[in-house]
Amino acid sequence: RESFQRMRQIGLGLGLAGLLLILLLQRLTVRRALRPLETAREQIAQLQQGQPAVALATLQEQAPSLDSDPAYHAVLAAAQQQAGQWAQSAATYQALLARRGSQGAWHLGLGLAMERLQQAEQARLHYQRALQDSALEPATRDYIAARLRALGGQ
């Protein structure tokens, strides 16, 4: 009877140790999975504080693959624009659109980059494609329409 009690205590101790190990491993896994999101959030804060060069450098250093995290690359493209890197921003938006289909916000970003690169026809094309996205806010749609009018495209 005493040996049974001891075995039961050992079993409970091992079970608790195993549970603690599982919880620790889950916590590490979640932290590792959220690291790119935290990095992107930090970079967005730096962008909002007027530090696009700092944000851009960090985003470029730690960029996951475009296929695994397109939202990260959309933030990267916006940071490139804020840093005045219009050609790089255009290339990033083009890569996003080539791999992930059509999103109005990405077409808008590409339109802005093309306009700054003095490629008015390409800018108009992407502004028009952006307007096809019904998820855009009315104010964004109004802005795009104004850009099209300024470019003589509407």
Side-chain angles (χ1 to χ4, degrees), residues 43-97:
Q43 302 335 303
I44 290 169
Q46 288 173 338
L47 287 171
Q48 291 171 340
Q49 294 169 4
Q51 301 172 341
V54 174
L56 184 57
T58 307
L59 283 167
Q60 289 172 329
E61 283 175 15
Q62 301 177 3
S65 74
L66 188 133
D67 290 325
S68 70
D69 199 346
Y72 190 97
H73 287 268
V75 171
L76 174 62
Q80 289 166 328
Q81 284 187 350
Q82 288 195 0
Q85 296 180 3
W86 299 101
Q88 294 90 332
S89 175
T92 302
Y93 279 123
Q94 287 168 335
L96 281 164
L97 289 165

Side-chain angles (χ1 to χ4, degrees), residues 104-141:
W106 297 349
H107 279 291
L108 171 58
L110 184 51
L112 290 167
M114 290 300 177
E115 188 174 351
R116 292 301 293 258
L117 293 170
Q118 315 244 325
Q119 296 182 28
E121 191 59 38
Q122 285 294 311
R124 275 193 293 276
L125 172 72
H126 289 287
Y127 287 149
Q128 289 165 348
R129 287 182 181 168
L131 284 174
Q132 294 173 4
D133 186 347
S134 60
L136 291 178
E137 295 290 325
T140 303
R141 299 176 84 65

Side-chain angles (χ1 to χ4, degrees), residues 7-80:
M7 289 301 287
R8 192 172 114 189
Q9 288 174 343
I10 290 172
L12 284 173
L14 289 174
L16 282 174
L19 181 61
L20 287 174
L21 180 62
I22 289 170
L23 289 173
L24 178 63
L25 290 174
Q26 283 180 335
R27 182 177 177 169
L28 290 173
T29 302
V30 168
R31 271 196 169 156
R32 188 169 289 139
L34 291 178
R35 191 175 301 143
L37 180 61
E38 283 297 317
T39 299
R41 197 170 79 197
E42 289 170 12
Q43 302 335 303
I44 290 169
Q46 288 173 338
L47 287 171
Q48 291 171 340
Q49 294 169 4
Q51 301 172 341
V54 174
L56 184 57
T58 307
L59 283 167
Q60 289 172 329
E61 283 175 15
Q62 301 177 3
S65 74
L66 188 133
D67 290 325
S68 70
D69 199 346
Y72 190 97
H73 287 268
V75 171
L76 174 62
Q80 289 166 328

